[in-house]
PDB file of all heavy atoms in Angstrom:
ATOM      1  N   LEU A 109       4.952 -27.370  -0.361  1.00  0.00           N
ATOM      2  CA  LEU A 109       3.611 -27.711   0.166  1.00  0.00           C
ATOM      3  C   LEU A 109       2.844 -28.332  -0.998  1.00  0.00           C
ATOM      4  O   LEU A 109       2.735 -27.723  -2.072  1.00  0.00           O
ATOM      5  CB  LEU A 109       2.946 -26.440   0.658  1.00  0.00           C
ATOM      6  CG  LEU A 109       3.570 -25.794   1.935  1.00  0.00           C
ATOM      7  CD1 LEU A 109       2.898 -24.454   2.216  1.00  0.00           C
ATOM      8  CD2 LEU A 109       3.552 -26.686   3.096  1.00  0.00           C
ATOM      9  N   ARG A 110       2.267 -29.489  -0.730  1.00  0.00           N
ATOM     10  CA  ARG A 110       1.530 -30.170  -1.746  1.00  0.00           C
ATOM     11  C   ARG A 110       0.238 -29.388  -2.170  1.00  0.00           C
ATOM     12  O   ARG A 110      -0.575 -28.975  -1.386  1.00  0.00           O
ATOM     13  CB  ARG A 110       1.100 -31.548  -1.315  1.00  0.00           C
ATOM     14  CG  ARG A 110       0.408 -32.421  -2.320  1.00  0.00           C
ATOM     15  CD  ARG A 110      -0.238 -33.647  -1.778  1.00  0.00           C
ATOM     16  NE  ARG A 110       0.619 -34.596  -1.142  1.00  0.00           N
ATOM     17  CZ  ARG A 110       1.218 -35.582  -1.831  1.00  0.00           C
ATOM     18  NH1 ARG A 110       0.836 -35.884  -3.060  1.00  0.00           N
ATOM     19  NH2 ARG A 110       2.065 -36.455  -1.154  1.00  0.00           N
ATOM     20  N   GLY A 111       0.122 -29.165  -3.481  1.00  0.00           N
ATOM     21  CA  GLY A 111      -1.080 -28.584  -4.081  1.00  0.00           C
ATOM     22  C   GLY A 111      -1.204 -27.095  -3.802  1.00  0.00           C
ATOM     23  O   GLY A 111      -2.239 -26.506  -4.209  1.00  0.00           O
ATOM     24  N   ALA A 112      -0.266 -26.436  -3.188  1.00  0.00           N
ATOM     25  CA  ALA A 112      -0.395 -25.037  -2.886  1.00  0.00           C
ATOM     26  C   ALA A 112       0.111 -24.147  -4.055  1.00  0.00           C
ATOM     27  O   ALA A 112       0.958 -24.542  -4.777  1.00  0.00           O
ATOM     28  CB  ALA A 112       0.438 -24.653  -1.633  1.00  0.00           C
ATOM     29  N   ALA A 113      -0.605 -23.005  -4.221  1.00  0.00           N
ATOM     30  CA  ALA A 113      -0.233 -22.036  -5.286  1.00  0.00           C
ATOM     31  C   ALA A 113      -0.495 -20.660  -4.816  1.00  0.00           C
ATOM     32  O   ALA A 113      -1.289 -20.426  -3.909  1.00  0.00           O
ATOM     33  CB  ALA A 113      -1.066 -22.373  -6.566  1.00  0.00           C
ATOM     34  N   VAL A 114       0.225 -19.759  -5.320  1.00  0.00           N
ATOM     35  CA  VAL A 114       0.060 -18.312  -5.050  1.00  0.00           C
ATOM     36  C   VAL A 114       0.235 -17.497  -6.260  1.00  0.00           C
ATOM     37  O   VAL A 114       0.973 -17.817  -7.199  1.00  0.00           O
ATOM     38  CB  VAL A 114       1.101 -17.860  -3.963  1.00  0.00           C
ATOM     39  CG1 VAL A 114       2.516 -17.981  -4.564  1.00  0.00           C
ATOM     40  CG2 VAL A 114       0.819 -16.509  -3.424  1.00  0.00           C
ATOM     41  N   THR A 115      -0.532 -16.398  -6.333  1.00  0.00           N
ATOM     42  CA  THR A 115      -0.403 -15.456  -7.481  1.00  0.00           C
ATOM     43  C   THR A 115       0.375 -14.308  -6.993  1.00  0.00           C
ATOM     44  O   THR A 115       0.058 -13.621  -5.982  1.00  0.00           O
ATOM     45  CB  THR A 115      -1.768 -15.001  -7.977  1.00  0.00           C
ATOM     46  OG1 THR A 115      -2.437 -16.158  -8.455  1.00  0.00           O
ATOM     47  CG2 THR A 115      -1.608 -14.056  -9.083  1.00  0.00           C
ATOM     48  N   VAL A 116       1.482 -13.947  -7.705  1.00  0.00           N
ATOM     49  CA  VAL A 116       2.345 -12.793  -7.369  1.00  0.00           C
ATOM     50  C   VAL A 116       2.291 -11.792  -8.493  1.00  0.00           C
ATOM     51  O   VAL A 116       2.030 -12.085  -9.653  1.00  0.00           O
ATOM     52  CB  VAL A 116       3.783 -13.235  -7.143  1.00  0.00           C
ATOM     53  CG1 VAL A 116       3.849 -14.111  -5.915  1.00  0.00           C
ATOM     54  CG2 VAL A 116       4.364 -13.955  -8.332  1.00  0.00           C
ATOM     55  N   THR A 117       2.555 -10.501  -8.063  1.00  0.00           N
ATOM     56  CA  THR A 117       2.693  -9.378  -9.026  1.00  0.00           C
ATOM     57  C   THR A 117       4.138  -9.083  -9.209  1.00  0.00           C
ATOM     58  O   THR A 117       4.915  -8.977  -8.266  1.00  0.00           O
ATOM     59  CB  THR A 117       1.917  -8.156  -8.491  1.00  0.00           C
ATOM     60  OG1 THR A 117       0.528  -8.517  -8.418  1.00  0.00           O
ATOM     61  CG2 THR A 117       2.039  -6.986  -9.584  1.00  0.00           C
ATOM     62  N   ALA A 118       4.617  -8.846 -10.443  1.00  0.00           N
ATOM     63  CA  ALA A 118       5.961  -8.413 -10.801  1.00  0.00           C
ATOM     64  C   ALA A 118       6.168  -7.005 -10.403  1.00  0.00           C
ATOM     65  O   ALA A 118       5.551  -6.114 -10.983  1.00  0.00           O
ATOM     66  CB  ALA A 118       6.333  -8.673 -12.208  1.00  0.00           C
ATOM     67  N   THR A 119       6.971  -6.712  -9.448  1.00  0.00           N
ATOM     68  CA  THR A 119       7.266  -5.396  -8.992  1.00  0.00           C
ATOM     69  C   THR A 119       8.766  -5.031  -8.960  1.00  0.00           C
ATOM     70  O   THR A 119       9.123  -3.879  -8.756  1.00  0.00           O
ATOM     71  CB  THR A 119       6.721  -5.099  -7.585  1.00  0.00           C
ATOM     72  OG1 THR A 119       7.379  -5.968  -6.654  1.00  0.00           O
ATOM     73  CG2 THR A 119       5.197  -5.284  -7.540  1.00  0.00           C
ATOM     74  N   ASN A 120       9.625  -5.985  -9.273  1.00  0.00           N
ATOM     75  CA  ASN A 120      11.029  -5.770  -9.040  1.00  0.00           C
ATOM     76  C   ASN A 120      11.873  -6.603 -10.032  1.00  0.00           C
ATOM     77  O   ASN A 120      11.297  -7.519 -10.656  1.00  0.00           O
ATOM     78  CB  ASN A 120      11.526  -5.989  -7.575  1.00  0.00           C
ATOM     79  CG  ASN A 120      12.723  -5.183  -7.199  1.00  0.00           C
ATOM     80  OD1 ASN A 120      13.377  -4.664  -8.016  1.00  0.00           O
ATOM     81  ND2 ASN A 120      12.928  -5.103  -5.910  1.00  0.00           N
TER      82      ASN A 120
END
Side-chain angles (χ1 to χ4, degrees):
L109 296 176
R110 185 195 293 268
V114 65
T115 298
V116 295
T117 299
T119 61
N120 208 343

